[in-house]
Amino acid sequence: MSTESIKLIANNKKAYHDFFIEEKFEAGISLYGTEIKSIRMGKCSIKESYVEINNGEAFIIGMNISPYEKGNIFNKDPLRVKKLLLHKQEILKLLGKTSEKGYTIMPLQVYLKNGKCKVEIGLAKGKKLYDKRESIAKKDQRRELEREFKVKNL
């Protein structure tokens, strides 16, 4: 019986709007002490970030971790490139898929799982404009149905 405590730190809603997420992976992230303290305080953003694979290693680029207030000289650059901790076969699978046209790797959320910082990354394929319109229409339709259901049940 495992009791996992998960605390969501950052979410990338834009990734779900702009891309079709085909597959998800959980990756650890290599951080310094002041960075993890800042993340525990919830000061992290992954809005403009993406994942790149170089020399058989995965890196997250553009992830913003605000400097820790009490960190002074130990604080690192908020936008530094951070290494992701993945298994070799996962990296090879992602590398194979991203070599195809239209695929990219996007960070979807950052969370603390049993005290360790994890990043959920997704293999994403870009949406066309008509796909976005279609998903917005579906969302509006669902919201309208929920509103009607709520009115009927009052």
Side-chain angles (χ1 to χ4, degrees), residues 26-32 35 39 50-63 65 77 79-88 91 117-119 121:
E26 181 182 72
I29 184 165
S30 181
L31 297 170
Y32 287 97
E35 289 175 324
I39 285 178
Y50 60 97
V51 176
E52 208 171 74
I53 297 176
N54 291 333
N55 300 328
E57 295 180 330
F59 296 95
I60 188 164
I61 299 164
M63 179 179 174
I65 299 176
D77 176 31
L79 291 171
R80 79 174 181 87
V81 177
K82 295 151 194 78
K83 185 177 175 182
L84 292 179
L85 309 170
L86 286 162
H87 290 285
K88 198 66 160 179
I91 292 173
C117 185
K118 302 285 183 182
V119 181
I121 58 174

Side-chain angles (χ1 to χ4, degrees), residues 9-62:
I9 304 296
N11 203 355
N12 193 354
K13 291 179 185 172
K14 194 172 187 244
Y16 290 101
H17 182 264
D18 293 342
F19 298 92
F20 291 114
I21 308 300
E22 296 192 359
E23 201 169 346
K24 294 178 183 178
F25 297 91
E26 181 182 72
I29 184 165
S30 181
L31 297 170
Y32 287 97
T34 53
E35 289 175 324
I36 189 67
K37 286 178 182 181
S38 191
I39 285 178
R40 284 198 175 114
M41 292 174 68
K43 300 193 184 218
C44 174
S45 171
I46 54 171
K47 280 187 173 61
E48 278 91 41
S49 59
Y50 60 97
V51 176
E52 208 171 74
I53 297 176
N54 291 333
N55 300 328
E57 295 180 330
F59 296 95
I60 188 164
I61 299 164

Side-chain angles (χ1 to χ4, degrees), residues 34 68-76:
T34 53
Y68 183 57
E69 289 123 31
K70 300 178 183 97
N72 57 42
I73 61 164
F74 300 108
N75 279 331
K76 302 291 179 199

Side-chain angles (χ1 to χ4, degrees), residues 17 131-141 143:
H17 182 264
D131 291 326
K132 290 181 190 177
R133 287 186 187 142
E134 194 176 290
S135 62
I136 289 170
K138 281 182 183 175
K139 201 181 293 179
D140 287 343
Q141 191 176 27
R143 195 179 302 124

